[in-house]
Amino acid sequence: MTARQRDENPAGIHLPLDPLPGHSSRGRLERVLRRGEFAVTTELNPPDSADPEDVYNRAKIFDGWVDAINAVDASGANCHMSSVGICALLTRMGYAPIMQIACRDKNRIAIQGDVLGGAAMGVANMLCLTGDGVQAGDQPGAKPVFDLDSMSLLETVRIMRDNGKFLSGRKLTTPPQVFLGAAVNPFAPPFDFRPIHLGKKIAAGAQFVQTQYCFDVPMFRTFMQKARDLGHTEKVFVLCGVGPLASAKTAKWIRSNVPGIHIPDAVIKRLEGAQDQKKEGKQLCIDIINEVKEIPGISGIHVMAYRQEEYVAEIVDESGVLKGRQPWKREIRRDDQMVADRLDHILHDEITETQVDMVKTAH
């Protein structure tokens, strides 16, 4: 296990961190996991907006409670601000994003370009997804791509990182230093195949996985037992997906309309019997966390609180999973004003004759 180190860049810039032996990235999430600490990740609900403040306001609510924030890539095949755009904004402020990449909308050329662009911005974590079909979203007439799937995408980014090459074989000048992730669903049939499928993703390059929502802990225990028997938990960090349910009505709708999410009858009955269903949904999430954190092979949780992001801090706090540890928190930095002054200088100062000549020469 790596010795405890501060997750700060000694030069005063929060990311990237100094490289460590045996690490494939220079980010915080990999450090937390390799130290054996219980990691907490979450998702940022992407805005339907071009205002960067909409991203920053949504990220602030997670300050000091999570180790990384998923930048969602058009989940459900619905268009929002892009994952790459959100990552650009988050890394600018020192946050540690997990850049989701879905294969639905881009071919391998565009995807490989996004991997390099994300890594250049300081993105240390990438989650490889196949992506929902376009028929699931509000623009079903869109043309799907699916040039790659989650497995071949993992292999693609791994080749870029470890071999320093594009899929074409052309060499990269500087390979991306990234921690590779994937999604797994222990609650979708065929259940016996799910641990085997996890093994395939590990072989393709997955170093950490985030699971689908867990509302059935006994079923999840069975999955994890099989994963341990196959030796998977020695090769990959498993983060269990959890989240609060707003009401029994919401739970029923999700169970009927969102493929891959399994919600037992007992969960719905518990919500129906509660005086305050939203509060009970939060408590249910905490109870599930307290059960799954004791399962051997679990390295953390992935809290998905769609439209209930204000509960994430309470859920993490009341579950006690951090054990007194405080993840990175955004604080005012001394260099913030320096950066602002430099941008103002670039944008508003007069262009010198030399700069004009340089532009003319370039053309």
Side-chain angles (χ1 to χ4, degrees):
M1 188 181 298
T2 305
R4 175 77 192 190
Q5 296 188 28
R6 280 182 58 80
D7 295 333
E8 297 288 345
N9 188 309
I13 303 166
H14 295 299
L15 289 173
L17 305 173
D18 281 348
L20 287 178
H23 288 228
S24 60
S25 76
R26 297 170 67 183
R28 295 190 201 99
L29 179 60
E30 185 176 6
R31 288 191 174 204
V32 167
L33 289 168
R34 292 197 186 280
R35 285 198 297 255
E37 296 171 339
F38 199 85
V40 179
T41 60
T42 192
E43 290 190 351
L44 187 145
N45 180 24
D48 296 338
S49 164
D51 187 349
E53 287 303 317
D54 289 341
V55 172
Y56 296 141
N57 289 335
R58 294 177 190 207
K60 284 175 188 175
I61 203 166
F62 305 132
D63 274 8
W65 295 105
V66 305
D67 297 297
I69 302 172
N70 279 36
V72 178
D73 190 11
S75 62
N78 293 304
C79 185
H80 309 284
M81 185 185 288
S82 71
S83 176
V84 173
I86 291 170
C87 285
L89 295 170
L90 292 181
T91 54
R92 182 188 298 176
M93 291 297 178
Y95 290 104
I98 298 173
M99 190 171 92
Q100 290 190 2
I101 307 173
C103 299
R104 174 191 54 246
D105 306 313
K106 297 177 181 178
N107 66 18
R108 66 190 69 191
I109 298 172
I111 287 173
Q112 289 173 93
D114 281 352
V115 169
L116 293 182
M121 292 185 297
V123 175
N125 317 290
M126 295 188 179
L127 191 78
C128 300
L129 307 167
T130 299
D132 301 307
V134 295
Q135 68 277 4
D138 59 1
Q139 299 182 64
K143 290 184 178 180
V145 180
F146 295 115
D147 183 26
L148 303 174
D149 60 13
S150 61
M151 212 77 73
S152 54
L153 175 55
L154 281 165
E155 292 174 343
T156 296
V157 185
R158 179 174 55 80
I159 288 169
M160 294 175 70
R161 183 193 66 199
D162 297 347
N163 298 349
K165 295 180 180 180
F166 289 111
L167 283 182
S168 66
R170 186 157 49 92
K171 289 185 178 180
L172 294 170
T173 305
T174 304
Q177 295 178 292
V178 290
F179 191 45
L180 274 177
V184 295
N185 189 354
F187 314 103
F191 304 116
D192 289 341
F193 177 68
R194 293 301 156 189
I196 298 171
H197 192 237
L198 170 59
K200 292 179 181 293
K201 291 199 172 185
I202 295 169
Q207 297 167 287
F208 74 96
V209 295
Q210 296 172 332
T211 80
Q212 181 58 277
Y213 284 103
C214 174
F215 295 109
D216 191 327
V217 178
M219 184 180 287
F220 187 59
R221 280 201 189 97
T222 300
F223 168 82
M224 287 302 298
Q225 179 63 59
K226 292 178 179 177
R228 289 196 302 273
D229 291 345
L230 292 169
H232 296 338
T233 55
E234 297 173 9
K235 303 172 185 175
V236 73
F237 298 101
V238 180
L239 280 68
C240 179
V242 296
L245 290 166
S247 66
K249 182 180 178 181
T250 299
K252 288 178 181 177
W253 186 91
I254 291 173
R255 186 166 70 172
S256 301
N257 295 278
V258 183
I261 298 183
H262 166 64
I263 303 178
D265 290 338
V267 167
I268 292 174
K269 287 180 180 178
R270 175 174 169 176
L271 293 171
E272 287 176 333
Q275 201 166 24
D276 185 336
Q277 294 192 8
K278 194 169 187 178
K279 185 177 179 181
E280 189 66 23
K282 186 189 84 169
Q283 186 58 49
L284 171 69
C285 180
I286 293 168
D287 292 346
I288 290 172
I289 292 172
N290 283 326
E291 287 191 71
V292 301
K293 72 182 183 183
E294 302 300 331
I295 298 175
I298 292 298
S299 299
I301 53 171
H302 178 54
V303 187
M304 297 171 279
Y306 179 65
R307 294 185 178 177
Q308 297 188 81
E309 288 89 348
E310 69 278 6
Y311 278 162
V312 170
E314 294 179 28
I315 289 169
V316 174
D317 184 35
E318 293 176 31
S319 68
V321 290
L322 291 177
K323 297 180 179 179
R325 177 178 71 87
Q326 185 182 49
W328 180 87
K329 183 176 182 179
R330 163 79 182 153
E331 296 172 352
I332 300 300
R333 293 171 8 202
R334 289 181 302 170
D335 60 338
D336 282 348
Q337 190 57 49
M338 293 170 57
V339 172
D341 291 344
R342 177 61 180 156
L343 286 171
D344 185 69
H345 171 77
I346 292 171
L347 293 172
H348 298 104
D349 280 15
E350 290 187 75
I351 299 176
T352 65
E353 189 64 35
T354 304
Q355 290 171 311
V356 173
D357 291 341
M358 286 172 64
V359 172
K360 288 179 179 178
T361 303
H363 286 76

